[in-house]
Structures are given as structure tokens and as C-alpha cells.
């Protein structure tokens, strides 16, 4: 979509190669399945974390003069690369850049370095406009959008889509900051020592409080750690097994990212037409349809049996 920003997934492979395509070197993402600080500190060095959550629609997103947790640090915008989000669907990439552009030890490449030098002297709202209007950043972002030719017909007319939002947490100058482009300023969560264990404990405590503000039934959260390319450490210490595992992970990410760029409706249609043609030529088309119908009916009956048993609080024995 020319000039627009498409939705991208919260996925370690997507984010790793998105940054790589922007010129960032030696950075990768790791999904965290627990809020136990030890899981995060074990990934040292950790540059920050990216948190995805459902945008709340039943209460104000931010306080009138203070955030729900932490304090606004308006003065920090002079030292921190913080940009207001000025366009929909850009929050994922904006959160990634909030981390890498605030960690001087990361080599962000020539183009992002030039962008930071240009936009860094601007106020946060104009920085956001500059980011949203960057052709390079937008094109790379959109290259990872998932191709989907289908419309969700299960959604009722007039029913709003669930909205999700990405934000970044990272230690800067001895404090833990939350960088959220929808907030008026960086949010300080207080002192945060440089030690890996200190950052992990601090950020997990903040995230636990944030998640606790949601209904207990809400489980749609995702947390990704921004870390140093794990292949580098494996090479440095000669850990062949870890290096091979990380290389296989990269290959899987590349394959999955390639699949995201394509929809296979046309391909599936051609395969189906080929199968139908072959069944007709064999004289087995009617038998094929009859068998498929019988299998579908058997599956439906099995599901009905399971549903009925669950309603009665009993167990159901599945046939092989």
C-alpha cells in the first residue's frame, strides 16, 4: 500500500530480519515465555524488551497528569530518542527503533545513524512525523507484512477489531524507561542498575503490575528480548552445538518470512484442480467425494460427542 504502514506480527524472526534489512548489525530477538527475571538475565547482553499488549478500550490509556505506573520525564526527551507515534500500524517498528537508537553500543548502520542525527534534534512530535515519512523504514516495515487475501466473516458488522500496541523498555543512564509513542513523554520507572539481574528484576516487576491491571481472562501478551546475536558468543567460545542451533533457527526464520510475503490461494486452487482432474480420469471422482463426506461427518459426530461429554462433566473415549 503506497504511503501506508501495514500490520506486522510480533515475531522474533520478523523483528530480527527487519532490523537487519535496516542495516542494524549483530542484534536478534528472543521470545520470552515467562516473567521470571532469570530467563531474561540469562540472555545477557540484553539491550531492552518489546512488549505487545491489547490496547485497553474500557478505561483511559493514560492518566491526565501522570501515567498509571512510573512518572513522565519530559526533560529526558532531550537526551533519549523518543518519538510520538503519528500513524497507525507503525508502533512495532517504532518500538524496535526506540531500543536500538538508544543503545550506543549497537551498530545501527549508516542510514539509521543519519536518520537519528537528523531527527534527534527535533521535538518528539516532529520526530514521529520524520519516522513515519521515512521511505526506507516504511518499505522495510511493509516488506514483513503478512499477506492475507481473506476477510474475517465471523466478525459482526460494526464490531471493532481488537487493537494491539508495541512499547519498549530499556535501561538508559541508570534508570528504567518505558518508551511508548502514544504517551506524551518517556516514562521513568526509577533507578535501574546496569547489572543484567537488576534490569531483569526491575522490568519484570513493572510488567507484572501492568498485566495485573487486566482481567484475569486476558492472556494475549507477547514479550521479546532485544539481545546480541547469539551466534557471536557461540563462535567466541567455540560452542559448536549452540552455533548450529542458532543457524538452524535463522534458516527457519528466513523460510517463515518468505512465506509471509505470499498468499497461496492461487497455488492451492491449481493443486485442487489437478487432483479433481486426476480423480475424474481414474473414474474415482464420485468415490473420492463420498469418502471425504463420510470422514467429515464422522469428525463432526466425534466433536459433538466430546462437546456433550464436557457439558456433562464426564470423559469421552476417542476412537482410533
Amino acid at each position: 500500500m503506497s504511503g501506508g504502514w501495514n500490520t506486522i506480527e510480533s515475531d522474533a524472526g520478523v523483528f530480527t530480519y527487519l532490523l537487519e534489512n535496516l542495516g542494524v548489525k549483530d542484534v536478534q530477538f528472543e521470545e520470552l515465555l515467562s516473567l521470571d527475571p532469570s530467563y531474561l538475565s540469562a540472555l545477557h547482553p540484553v539491550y531492552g524488551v518489546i512488549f505487545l499488549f491489547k490496547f485497553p478500550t474500557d478505561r483511559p490509556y493514560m492518566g491526565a497528569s501522570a501515567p498509571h505506573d512510573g512518572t513522565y520525564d519530559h526533560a529526558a526527551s532531550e537526551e533519549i530518542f523518543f518519538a510520538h507515534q503519528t500513524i497507525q500500524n507503525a508502533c512495532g517498528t517504532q518500538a524496535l527503533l526506540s531500543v536500538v537508537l538508544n543503545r550506543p553500543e549497537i551498530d545501527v548502520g549508516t542510514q539509521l545513524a543519519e536518520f537519528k542525527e537528523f531527527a534527534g534534534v527535533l521535538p518528539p512530535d516532529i520526530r514521529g512525523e520524520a519516522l513515519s515519512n521515512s521511505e526506507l523504514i516504511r518499505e522495510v516495515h511493509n516488506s514483513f507484512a503478512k499477506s492475507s487475501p481473506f476477510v474475517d466473516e465471523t466478525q459482526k458488522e460494526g464490531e471493532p477489531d481488537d487493537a494491539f500496541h508495541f512499547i519498549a523498555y530499556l535501561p538508559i543512564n541508570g534508570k528504567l524507561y518505558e518508551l511508548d509513542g502514544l504517551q506524551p513523554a518517556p516514562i521513568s520507572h526509577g533507578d535501574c542498575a546496569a547489572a543484567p539481574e537488576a534490569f531483569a528484576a526491575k522490568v519484570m516487576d513493572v510488567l507484572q503490575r501492568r498485566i495485573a491491571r487486566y482481567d484475569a481472562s486476558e492472556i494475549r501478551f507477547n514479550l521479546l528480548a532485544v539481545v546480541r546475536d547469539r551466534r557471536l558468543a557461540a563462535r567466541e567460545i567455540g560452542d559448536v552445538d549452540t552455533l548450529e542451533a542458532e543457524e538452524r533457527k535463522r534458516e527457519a526464520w528466513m523460510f517463515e518470512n518468505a512465506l509471509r510475503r505470499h498468499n497461496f490461494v492461487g497455488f492451492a486452487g491449481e493443486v485442487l484442480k489437478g487432483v479433481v482432474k486426476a480423480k475424474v480420469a481414474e473414474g474415482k471422482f464420485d468415490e473420492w467425494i463420498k469418502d471425504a463426506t463420510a470422514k467429515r461427518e464422522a469428525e463432526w459426530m466425534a466433536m459433538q460427542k466430546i462437546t456433550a461429554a464436557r457439558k456433562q462433566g464426564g470423559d469421552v473415549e476417542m476412537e482410533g
Side-chain angles (χ1 to χ4, degrees):
M1 180 173 62
S2 177
W5 291 69
N6 300 330
T7 303
I8 61 173
E9 296 179 66
S10 179
D11 178 85
V14 168
F15 287 174
T16 297
Y17 280 101
L18 191 158
L19 282 185
E20 187 171 292
N21 288 1
L22 285 172
V24 179
K25 297 177 176 61
D26 301 334
V27 171
Q28 75 176 67
F29 290 78
E30 288 291 319
E31 184 171 8
L32 296 169
L33 302 179
S34 170
L35 292 179
D36 185 332
S38 64
Y39 287 96
L40 180 60
S41 59
L43 295 171
H44 178 72
V46 178
Y47 303 123
V49 298
I50 305 297
F51 183 56
L52 173 72
F53 59 95
K54 182 183 175 184
F55 195 87
T57 57
D58 58 343
R59 59 188 182 280
Y61 178 61
M62 62 186 76
S65 58
H68 295 303
D69 196 8
T71 57
Y72 290 128
D73 189 346
H74 293 273
S77 295
E78 298 295 324
E79 301 177 0
I80 295 175
F81 187 91
F82 171 74
H84 289 161
Q85 184 181 331
T86 63
I87 191 170
Q88 283 187 326
N89 299 331
C91 60
T93 294
Q94 188 158 330
L96 310 188
L97 295 178
S98 291
V99 174
V100 300
L101 295 181
N102 282 300
R103 297 302 300 251
E105 67 269 42
I106 296 177
D107 183 351
V108 298
T110 303
Q111 291 177 296
L112 280 184
E114 291 176 350
F115 171 78
K116 180 182 178 181
E117 183 178 4
F118 162 73
V121 298
L122 304 172
D125 56 339
I126 306 302
R127 283 180 202 159
E129 291 288 351
L131 193 158
S132 299
N133 289 321
S134 169
E135 186 174 345
L136 168 69
I137 298 173
R138 183 179 65 247
E139 287 183 353
V140 172
H141 169 103
N142 285 344
S143 72
F144 288 90
K146 188 174 182 179
S147 175
S148 177
F150 299 109
V151 175
D152 184 3
E153 295 184 349
T154 64
Q155 185 172 335
K156 298 178 182 179
E157 185 176 354
E159 185 180 70
D161 291 326
D162 285 336
F164 292 85
H165 187 48
F166 295 89
I167 59 176
Y169 291 90
L170 67 157
I172 304 175
N173 298 330
K175 292 184 178 181
L176 174 64
Y177 279 99
E178 174 185 335
L179 302 184
D180 177 354
L182 296 182
Q183 298 280 4
I187 297 173
S188 171
H189 290 280
D191 293 340
C192 181
E197 296 80 6
F199 167 65
K202 184 80 172 182
V203 73
M204 290 307 185
D205 180 57
V206 171
L207 288 171
Q208 286 173 352
R209 291 200 301 272
R210 185 177 200 122
I211 291 172
R213 293 200 293 268
Y214 282 80
D215 187 274
S217 62
E218 180 56 67
I219 59 173
R220 290 171 294 177
F221 302 100
N222 186 250
L223 184 62
L224 293 167
V226 191
V227 303
R228 182 173 182 246
D229 187 338
R230 302 189 73 189
R231 296 174 299 178
L232 299 178
R235 291 191 186 104
E236 291 166 358
I237 64 175
D239 187 345
V240 176
D241 291 338
T242 297
L243 180 58
E244 290 179 351
E246 289 298 322
E247 292 290 2
R248 288 195 298 270
K249 182 193 296 182
R250 292 290 182 125
E251 291 174 2
W253 283 347
M254 290 181 68
F255 179 70
E256 292 165 0
N257 287 337
L259 293 181
R260 286 184 176 91
R261 294 186 174 95
H262 305 281
N263 76 70
F264 295 91
V265 174
F267 172 75
E270 292 301 315
V271 170
L272 182 59
K273 285 192 286 186
V275 172
V276 169
K277 185 177 180 179
K279 294 296 183 182
V280 170
E282 295 171 3
K284 296 182 178 180
F285 179 77
D286 291 338
E287 179 184 348
W288 178 54
I289 294 296
K290 184 177 179 181
D291 288 346
T293 302
K295 288 180 180 179
R296 180 163 183 171
E297 289 177 350
E299 291 171 356
W300 185 84
M301 292 295 293
M303 290 303 299
Q304 291 293 103
K305 186 178 179 181
I306 292 171
T307 301
R310 285 174 176 170
K311 287 181 178 179
Q312 295 173 5
D315 296 325
V316 59
E317 185 177 327
M318 295 298 295
E319 295 180 0

